[in-house]
């Protein structure tokens, strides 16, 4: 909230000074020399104002923190009950977030017709990207920007000096393979997919990235089924509080593809004096812990573990699970 008021203050102050600049140069009674001198003076004032404001923002937003070395997955948890119990206990519940972004700001799409995903992820989840692999190396990646907009990128790490040498058309997968993937992902007919491929090749020949920007309805369900056909088994990775999980597809033990999903997480905040104790919990059993403290301040380990155990008990989690977390201390953000 402080940051918001400071930002508004910066905007208002800048508008005020710009208004003064405008009045100076519109004043016909001032000579050119006087206008120039006043402009230089006000310029110095503006720079000093912006520098002081920025410094104040940095100082005012600084804090000490305890953060875990890594989150934990506690398995089957009743997320809805946890959130309700947190509210009943008087804790502040912040969210939902998709990793660290609000729902409207998060990148990805909300697939509606993927019942097998809903069985594992619930009714609210985002699909961020899907990647095809060859011999465990990424070959093609589809970034989902909207229901009708996606970026498709191609990779070839087996070419000589892949991080230095330019990507050439010859480094693409076979034409037939790319055309099949475009038909699957976007529902193109073969002619349209071939046209998109030729556009890509022309772009690469011009020295641009091996990337396509496609404005067309995306078909995540078809991509899933395509990867499923290519693989012999698949499995989800565990979440650790932020709600991001990968569905990995394997073909005879080798990574053949993956789909990146996000489920919502909420932050449960308990404030004692100037210290915030935060439990970040996602819908798939992932939990992470954090403590935010004034700059340089510290909390004895016995104290913060006691607080977290009380919070776990109040929201319906096993108190002993707090001992699974290891913490690191940072005296300042900067």
């Amino acid at each position: 909230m402080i940051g918001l008021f400071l930002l508004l203050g910066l905007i208002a102050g800048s508008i005020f000074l710009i208004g003064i600049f405008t009045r100076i140069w519109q004043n016909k009674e001032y000579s050119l020399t006087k206008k120039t001198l006043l402009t230089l003076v006000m310029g110095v004032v503006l720079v000093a104002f912006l520098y002081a404001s920025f410094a104040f923002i940095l100082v005012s937003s600084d804090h000490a923190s305890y953060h875990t070395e890594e989150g934990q997955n506690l398995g089957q948890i009743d997320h809805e009950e946890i959130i309700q119990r947190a509210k009943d206990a008087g804790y502040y519940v912040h969210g939902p977030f998709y990793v660290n972004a609000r729902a409207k700001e998060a990148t990805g799409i909300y697939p509606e017709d993927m019942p097998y995903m809903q069985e594992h992820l619930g009714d609210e989840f985002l699909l961020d990207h899907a990647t095809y692999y060859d011999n465990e190396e990424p070959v093609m990646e589809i970034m989902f920007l909207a229901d009708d907009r996606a970026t498709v990128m191609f990779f070839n790490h087996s070419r000589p000096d892949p991080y230095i040498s330019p990507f050439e058309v010859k480094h693409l997968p076979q034409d037939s393979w790319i055309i099949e993937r475009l038909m699957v992902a976007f529902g193109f007919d073969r002619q349209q997919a071939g046209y998109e491929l030729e556009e890509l090749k022309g772009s690469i020949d011009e020295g641009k990235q091996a990337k396509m920007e496609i404005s067309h309805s995306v078909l995540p369900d078809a991509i899933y089924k395509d990867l499923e056909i290519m693989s012999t088994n698949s499995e989800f990775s565990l979440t650790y509080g932020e709600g991001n999980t990968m569905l990995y597809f394997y073909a005879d033990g080798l990574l053949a593809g993956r789909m990146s999903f996000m489920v919502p997480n909420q932050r449960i905040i308990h404030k004692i004096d100037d210290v915030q104790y935060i439990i970040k919990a996602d819908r798939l059993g992932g939990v992470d812990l954090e403590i935010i403290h004034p700059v340089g301040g510290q909390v004895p380990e016995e104290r913060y573990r006691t607080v977290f155990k009380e919070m776990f008990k109040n929201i319906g989690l096993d108190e002993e699970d707090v001992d699974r977390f290891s913490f690191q201390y940072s005296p300042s953000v900067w």
Side-chain angles (χ1 to χ4, degrees):
M1 185 61 71
I2 293 176
L4 177 60
F5 285 126
L6 286 172
L7 179 60
L8 294 174
L10 280 172
I11 294 173
S14 299
I15 293 173
F16 174 73
L17 290 172
I18 291 171
I20 292 178
F21 283 134
T22 303
R23 294 189 63 179
I24 289 173
W25 284 94
Q26 289 179 343
N27 194 319
K28 297 180 179 179
E29 297 180 0
Y30 290 166
S31 66
L32 179 61
T33 302
K34 187 173 184 178
K35 290 179 179 179
T36 302
L37 180 61
L38 288 173
T39 298
L40 289 174
V41 171
M42 294 307 300
V44 171
V45 172
L46 176 60
V47 171
F49 170 73
L50 293 174
Y51 181 81
S53 300
F54 181 67
F56 183 73
I57 290 174
L58 291 180
V59 172
S60 62
S61 62
D62 197 9
H63 61 263
S65 67
Y66 291 84
H67 55 275
T68 59
E69 295 178 0
E70 59 180 5
Q72 298 289 330
N73 192 281
L74 305 184
Q76 293 276 341
I77 62 173
D78 190 331
H79 188 80
E80 298 297 334
E81 181 182 354
I82 286 171
I83 297 305
Q84 186 57 55
R85 291 184 63 158
K87 293 177 180 178
D88 293 342
Y91 302 140
Y92 175 60
V93 177
H94 199 197
F97 295 92
Y98 287 87
V99 184
N100 291 314
R102 292 285 196 173
K104 293 183 179 179
E105 301 165 351
T107 301
I109 60 175
Y110 297 87
E112 296 181 354
D113 187 26
M114 300 185 77
Y116 23 82
M117 296 301 170
Q118 293 170 342
E119 290 177 8
H120 182 79
L121 302 176
D123 294 330
E124 297 179 15
F125 62 89
L126 271 171
L127 172 58
D128 182 58
H129 67 268
T131 310
Y132 289 88
Y133 285 78
D134 180 33
N135 198 26
E136 298 202 313
E137 289 289 345
V139 176
M140 171 179 167
E141 184 166 272
I142 306 171
M143 296 292 300
F144 302 99
L145 306 178
D147 291 333
D148 58 356
R149 190 161 55 91
T151 297
V152 182
M153 297 187 66
F154 293 88
F155 308 90
N156 187 331
H157 296 310
S158 63
R159 71 184 196 272
D161 301 319
Y163 301 103
I164 301 174
S165 62
F167 193 105
E168 300 178 14
V169 170
K170 65 182 180 181
H171 299 137
L172 288 169
Q174 291 184 354
D175 288 5
S176 59
W177 188 91
I178 296 176
I179 288 172
E180 288 294 334
R181 302 291 78 72
L182 294 178
M183 291 172 65
V184 165
F186 300 99
F188 291 148
D189 58 29
R190 192 168 298 276
Q191 181 179 358
Q192 180 64 31
Y195 171 78
E196 298 289 344
L197 175 57
E198 291 306 313
E199 289 285 302
L200 171 67
K201 289 180 177 180
S203 178
I204 294 173
D205 283 337
E206 293 175 1
K208 298 178 181 178
Q209 288 182 298
K211 182 169 70 172
M212 312 165 71
E213 302 291 345
I214 297 181
S215 296
H216 195 277
S217 298
V218 295
L219 305 173
D221 181 67
I223 296 171
Y224 167 79
K225 291 176 180 175
D226 193 35
L227 286 168
E228 191 178 42
I229 291 171
M230 293 180 178
S231 61
T232 52
N233 66 292
S234 62
E235 64 179 3
F236 279 98
S237 64
L238 295 176
T239 59
Y240 297 99
E242 293 190 333
N244 49 326
T245 181
M246 289 284 185
L247 176 56
Y248 291 102
F249 297 84
Y250 297 95
D252 299 321
L254 297 178
L255 182 62
R258 69 179 189 178
M259 300 183 78
S260 173
F261 295 92
M262 291 179 282
V263 297
N265 71 69
Q266 273 93 354
R267 289 85 189 273
I268 299 167
I269 303 172
H270 180 33
K271 189 171 183 180
I272 302 177
D273 297 326
D274 292 328
V275 183
Q276 294 183 58
Y277 297 87
I278 303 169
I279 299 173
K280 184 188 296 184
D282 63 52
R283 292 183 178 274
L284 298 181
V287 175
D288 203 3
L289 308 178
E290 184 182 9
I291 304 166
I292 295 179
H293 199 286
V295 179
Q298 297 188 44
V299 181
E301 181 176 358
E302 182 179 357
R303 168 61 176 163
Y304 66 68
R305 288 195 184 275
T306 298
V307 172
F308 277 127
K309 286 184 177 182
E310 180 183 1
M311 292 179 70
F312 269 44
K313 178 181 179 181
N314 290 339
I315 65 177
L317 295 176
D318 188 346
E319 301 171 56
E320 300 306 313
D321 281 333
V322 172
D323 294 327
R324 296 170 56 179
F325 294 84
S326 298
F327 292 83
Q328 293 182 340
Y329 173 68
S330 298
S332 170
V333 171
W334 318 113

